[in-house]
Amino acid sequence: MKLTVTEHPTRPAILEVSGAVDLRSSPRLRDALLRALDSRRGLVVDLHKLASIDSSGISSLLEALIKARDSGLGFSLARVSADAMRVITLGRLDQVFPIRASVDDALAAAG
């Protein structure tokens, strides 16, 4: 798994996740998500390069979503890969996560 964070002083951070997220790598994803939310500007998680994700990775995304909502911050998933969308949809979490077609759409929705 590779994580790339792009921060901007006035808009949400963008965290690009690539590769595979599994039980071994999900703690790093969790830490990156929560650290990015510490910026207090919200977060867009770009998943277009995500090859696979298991329940531990989904749990990390849910924890970040809850933290963002509790803090009054924006949070969305963007460009979700087919594999990730299958897992998200299977768990009916497409009803929970804000999902945008592009990073630009996610940033525009954040205000």
Side-chain angles (χ1 to χ4, degrees), residues 3 13 32 39 44 63 78 107:
L3 304 171
S39 71
V44 174
E63 183 178 354
L107 292 171

Side-chain angles (χ1 to χ4, degrees), residues 97-110:
F97 287 112
I99 299 173
R100 307 290 181 206
S102 71
V103 170
D104 287 340
D105 288 348
L107 292 171

Side-chain angles (χ1 to χ4, degrees), residues 1 20-29 54 56-57:
M1 176 187 69
V21 178
D22 57 23
L23 187 58
R24 188 174 45 174
S25 61
S26 64
R28 280 191 5 193
L29 174 63
D54 70 5
S56 65

Side-chain angles (χ1 to χ4, degrees), residues 7-71:
E7 294 194 25
H8 188 275
T10 60
R11 66 178 193 195
I14 301 165
L15 174 62
E16 183 179 87
V17 184
S18 59
V21 178
D22 57 23
L23 187 58
R24 188 174 45 174
S25 61
S26 64
R28 280 191 5 193
L29 174 63
R30 178 187 180 274
D31 290 344
L33 290 162
L34 299 180
R35 249 186 286 113
L37 286 170
D38 287 340
S39 71
R40 309 291 303 160
R41 289 183 301 278
L43 180 60
V44 174
V45 184
D46 183 351
L47 299 176
H48 82 281
K49 293 183 180 177
L50 186 65
S52 63
I53 188 166
D54 70 5
S55 60
S56 65
I58 295 294
S59 179
S60 296
L61 292 171
L62 279 169
E63 183 178 354
L65 173 65
I66 291 166
K67 179 179 179 177
R69 286 185 177 168
D70 288 349
S71 301

Side-chain angles (χ1 to χ4, degrees), residues 61-105:
L61 292 171
L62 279 169
E63 183 178 354
L65 173 65
I66 291 166
K67 179 179 179 177
R69 286 185 177 168
D70 288 349
S71 301
L73 300 172
F75 181 94
S76 61
L77 306 180
R79 301 194 299 173
V80 179
S81 70
D83 183 74
M85 188 55 103
R86 186 173 32 82
V87 174
I88 289 167
T89 303
L90 184 64
R92 301 188 66 155
L93 296 173
D94 54 327
Q95 306 297 313
V96 176
F97 287 112
I99 299 173
R100 307 290 181 206
S102 71
V103 170
D104 287 340
D105 288 348

